Amino acid sequence: MLDALCHLHLEPLWTHRERVVERARAAGVSRLLVAATDRTSWRRVLACRDAGPVAIGLHPWFGGDPSQLRDVARTEGVDAIGEIGLDAARGGLDQQLVVLRAQLEVAAELGLPVVLHCVRAHHLLLPELKRVPVTGVLHAYSGGPNLVESYLALGLHFSVGRSALRPGKRLRAALAVIPSDRLLAETDAPDQLAEPHALPAVVEALVKLGTSPQSRLFSEST
């Protein structure tokens, strides 16, 4: 079982990461996708390879200079570019778009999937993904059913976390039209759920909602 997004580099997980990974594996979560947040987190994320695939990038909350991303991603042989995206709740969308575009270009050039964060900015994100085609996953998807077809047409996958435990009508409607082979489950630990070992509860909740994550976007060969 893959946790499609966690931040093992953040406290309190980082200090106790070996035990965190052990608890996850004891719960059946064999692999963790560890995604960076800002430039200073890249080194820690790269040190988490033994837990599963790793992604480096600049989260829209933190921004930064993406000029080093291409060289580091290529040199270190990372598995994905992320967590990247747009967040209208934070403001500064013009600068967020500049940083996002640069990171999408790197992902496309290196043939890497992306881990996307999008809050109230799908109308801006979709055109960017059409301009620079990449594969990847929309983490903590909350866009509702009306956007699913557009993202599916672009080859994107969807990941769901804590919201599956108390699903609203919009999530239920979205899950009804997301194919299981485009669906992943995540904890987004330590933000949404405390630790990756909570992932089975998310998967169980998704099954009760009539679906099950079957995406192989980050398969064992990734």
Side-chain angles (χ1 to χ4, degrees):
M1 192 184 308
L2 168 75
D3 184 345
L5 180 69
C6 72
H7 298 294
L8 194 57
H9 66 283
L10 295 179
E11 297 295 355
L13 303 185
W14 174 253
T15 298
H16 309 289
R17 60 191 178 281
E18 292 183 0
R19 279 177 284 175
V20 169
V21 172
E22 287 175 3
R23 285 192 287 268
R25 289 176 175 162
V29 185
S30 59
R31 303 168 72 235
L32 316 177
L33 191 157
V34 183
T37 44
D38 59 8
R39 178 64 182 87
T40 62
S41 68
W42 293 2
R43 184 178 296 276
R44 282 189 176 185
V45 168
L46 292 171
C48 295
R49 293 175 187 271
D50 58 343
V54 295
I56 62 170
L58 300 172
H59 191 291
W61 289 4
F62 307 106
D65 180 0
S67 62
Q68 294 181 304
L69 180 62
R70 177 181 288 99
D71 289 342
V72 176
R74 180 188 289 119
T75 301
E76 297 292 342
V78 300
D79 303 288
I81 301 298
E83 180 180 347
I84 67 175
L86 299 171
D87 195 321
R90 292 279 169 154
L93 280 172
D94 288 344
Q95 182 58 30
Q96 288 184 34
L97 276 165
V98 171
V99 176
L100 172 64
R101 287 167 180 161
Q103 295 183 99
L104 289 176
E105 294 284 356
V106 170
E109 179 183 330
L110 300 182
L112 292 172
V114 294
V115 179
L116 293 165
H117 171 111
C118 188
V119 175
R120 303 209 306 264
H122 294 282
H123 63 295
L124 297 174
L125 180 59
L126 276 165
E128 297 304 320
L129 296 174
K130 292 176 182 177
R131 186 182 65 84
V132 184
V134 291
T135 187
V137 57
L138 285 149
H139 116 83
Y141 182 68
S142 61
N146 57 313
L147 293 170
V148 169
E149 185 175 349
S150 296
Y151 282 117
L152 288 175
L154 293 171
L156 272 292
H157 298 237
F158 304 81
S159 182
V160 177
R162 183 179 60 188
S163 60
L165 303 178
R166 299 184 66 181
K169 290 183 179 179
R170 190 158 79 161
L171 177 61
R172 289 175 183 271
L175 289 172
V177 292
I178 297 174
S180 60
D181 63 355
R182 295 287 193 94
L183 181 65
L184 299 99
E186 65 174 68
T187 63
D188 196 16
D191 296 333
Q192 290 190 30
L193 294 168
E195 286 194 24
H197 69 65
L199 186 69
V202 175
V203 174
E204 181 180 351
L206 289 170
V207 170
K208 289 180 179 178
L209 290 168
T211 187
S212 177
Q214 301 293 330
S215 170
R216 297 188 60 79
L217 178 61
F218 297 102
S219 64
E220 290 288 349
S221 61
T222 301

